[in-house]
Structures are given as structure tokens and as C-alpha cells.
Amino acid sequence: MNQIPERLMHVRERIRRAAMAASRPPDEIMLLAVSKTKPASDVAAAYGAGQRAFGENYLQDALPKIRALADNDIEWHFIGRLQGNKTADISRHFSWVHGIDSLKHARQLSTHRPADLPPLQVCIQVNLSGEDSKGGVIPTNLNALATEVARLPRLRLRGLMTMPDPNADTARRDAAFAGLRGLLESLRAAGLDVDTLSMGMSGDMEAAIREGATIVRVGTDIFGARD
Ligand SMILES: *Cc1c(COP(=O)(O)O)cnc(C)c1O
């Protein structure tokens, strides 16, 4: 039996409650349904239940789904690690990219973004746990990168994204979420027009919403466990 519509309703309810608890309007928080490794039929089931924004990590996994569902009004977000040889395809097939962490990849995305599409919306990924493996720019380098990315003609810098260390305790995790919000505020103070905090997943969306998330990226709790 397909439980995706029920799971989706449940996640929406969690978002609504977390927003109310934080005295925030629930419609300020966008649910990104992370469909990585799941079939196009699962995306279609969520779409049928009203979901429009979907997140994918792997280009090769995403392209067949994007093609199969091309007639639908879906907004695709690339949330995986960027590689130079993939930026051209990503800039054509996605509306958003959440994991910008180098000027080189940002420039490539801008160069390849087709002229007939609106600018590609991007978030800079920030590494707030001090691990090298996770990707993301360190906070000290953020302002310089954000200033350059904001100038690229075919990108529209929307804000910041982070993935806390999965082994962090809740205090450190919450500190990472609050830290990202502080960094967004510092970019605003520096004159950049940014509004997006992409943070929070199945296990920690409530904490992220409490700290100001405007996009939560939820996979497992909508589509079930991945292999
Ligand atoms: C897989 C993934 C998610 C979703 O994680 P779940 O725990 O399944 O909700 C969110 N963000 C990124 C960047 C991911 O890679």
C-alpha cells in the first residue's frame, strides 16, 4: 500500500505545529520532499497529494525522474555535492541548488544557466560542525563568497544551507541552526538581499523551524527508509 499521502500529511502537520510553537506563520516554511533513490512513481504519489518541490542528490538518479514527470508543475532542487562535470546539466534541469561552496562551481552554474529560464536560485552551504568531509564553506569565508555569488548574472542568491553533524548532540545541533541564522543576518547587514535558511531534515525539522528554517528538506519521513 502506498502510504506517501498519509506520511506527507503527517509531516505537514509537524511543520504546522512547530511553526505555531515558534510563533511563526506556517506558510513561511517550505517543505522540500527529498526523493533521492526513490522511483518516479513515489514522486508522482506525493505530487498527487499536492507536493510541488522535490529534492535530489544525484544527477544520474534525478534525470530520468525529471524527464518522466516533465509535464507536471514540479520545482526540482539539487541538494547533493556539486562536481564540475555536472554543473551544466544541473543548471538546465533544476530550479534551485542548495550546496554551493565554491566560486568555481557557482560561476559554472551561472555560465550554463539557459537564457530562456529565470536565474537559478542558490543557497551557499555552510559547514558549522568543523568536519571537512561534509562540504560547505567555513563561516570565515562566507561573506566573501556570498558577495561574489550575488554578483553572478544568472544566479539569484537566496540564502544559506547547512547539515549538522549527524553525531552531534541536540545542543550542538541547535547551535548550528542558530549559527546559520546569525550568518544570514550578517549577510543582510552587509546589504545582501537574502531570505532563505535551508535546514532541518526528518529527525530535526522541529528544532530547525524553532531556529528560523524557511525550507526543511525531508526524505525518510515522507518516502520511507532508503536502502
Ligand atoms: C538525504 C538528505 C535529506 C533528507 O534526509 P532525511 O533524514 O531522509 O529526511 C536532506 N538534506 C540533504 C542534503 C540530504 O542529502
Side-chain angles (χ1 to χ4, degrees):
M1 209 190 77
N2 188 338
Q3 301 175 331
I4 291 170
E6 285 80 3
R7 287 188 172 133
L8 195 52
M9 268 189 3
H10 183 63
V11 167
R12 286 187 188 131
E13 180 58 19
R14 281 172 64 190
I15 292 171
R16 197 188 63 79
R17 282 201 195 143
M20 305 284 278
S23 304
R24 300 181 54 200
D27 62 6
E28 199 177 279
I29 299 141
M30 176 205 247
L31 172 59
L32 181 63
V34 177
S35 47
K36 64 180 171 203
T37 79
K38 299 293 181 179
S41 56
D42 283 6
V43 176
Y47 185 86
Q51 181 63 30
R52 292 294 175 268
F54 291 87
E56 290 282 340
N57 292 57
Y58 312 103
L59 182 66
Q60 301 316 321
D61 173 36
L63 284 181
K65 295 182 232 182
I66 293 174
R67 292 204 181 97
L69 298 164
D71 292 340
N72 299 296
D73 175 29
I74 294 181
E75 184 175 82
W76 292 101
H77 293 228
F78 188 82
I79 61 172
R81 297 271 332 237
L82 288 166
Q83 293 170 269
N85 61 347
K86 305 273 169 65
T87 49
D89 275 331
I90 290 167
S91 71
R92 276 186 200 109
H93 296 287
F94 289 82
S95 301
W96 283 70
V97 172
H98 291 228
I100 302 276
D101 64 0
S102 77
L103 184 57
K104 180 173 160 232
H105 289 155
R107 281 193 176 125
Q108 290 171 347
L109 290 167
S110 182
T111 301
H112 291 290
R113 180 68 170 172
D116 59 328
L117 295 177
L120 182 65
Q121 316 209 56
V122 300
C123 291
I124 293 177
Q125 183 176 351
V126 185
N127 183 338
L128 287 160
S129 55
E131 289 176 283
D132 290 334
S133 60
K134 277 279 157 207
V137 65
I138 58 168
T140 346
N141 297 335
L142 175 63
N143 268 55
L145 178 60
T147 305
E148 296 286 339
V149 170
R151 286 196 188 116
L152 293 171
R154 301 293 295 140
L155 302 190
R156 163 92 169 83
L157 178 62
R158 291 297 302 270
L160 304 176
M161 181 271 226
T162 201
M163 294 241 290
D165 177 352
N167 301 314
D169 60 28
T170 56
R172 274 184 58 218
R173 179 202 69 197
D174 293 355
F177 289 151
L180 199 70
R181 189 188 56 211
L183 291 170
L184 189 80
E185 278 159 13
S186 76
L187 293 183
R188 280 207 199 112
L192 292 174
D193 178 19
V194 284
D195 59 12
T196 299
L197 283 173
S198 169
M199 59 188 194
M201 317 197 294
S202 292
D204 56 16
M205 66 180 112
E206 284 86 358
I209 289 168
R210 196 166 61 232
E211 299 296 346
T214 65
I215 300 181
V216 289
R217 309 177 310 265
V218 180
T220 309
D221 284 358
I222 297 172
F223 297 108
R226 292 176 293 272
D227 296 335

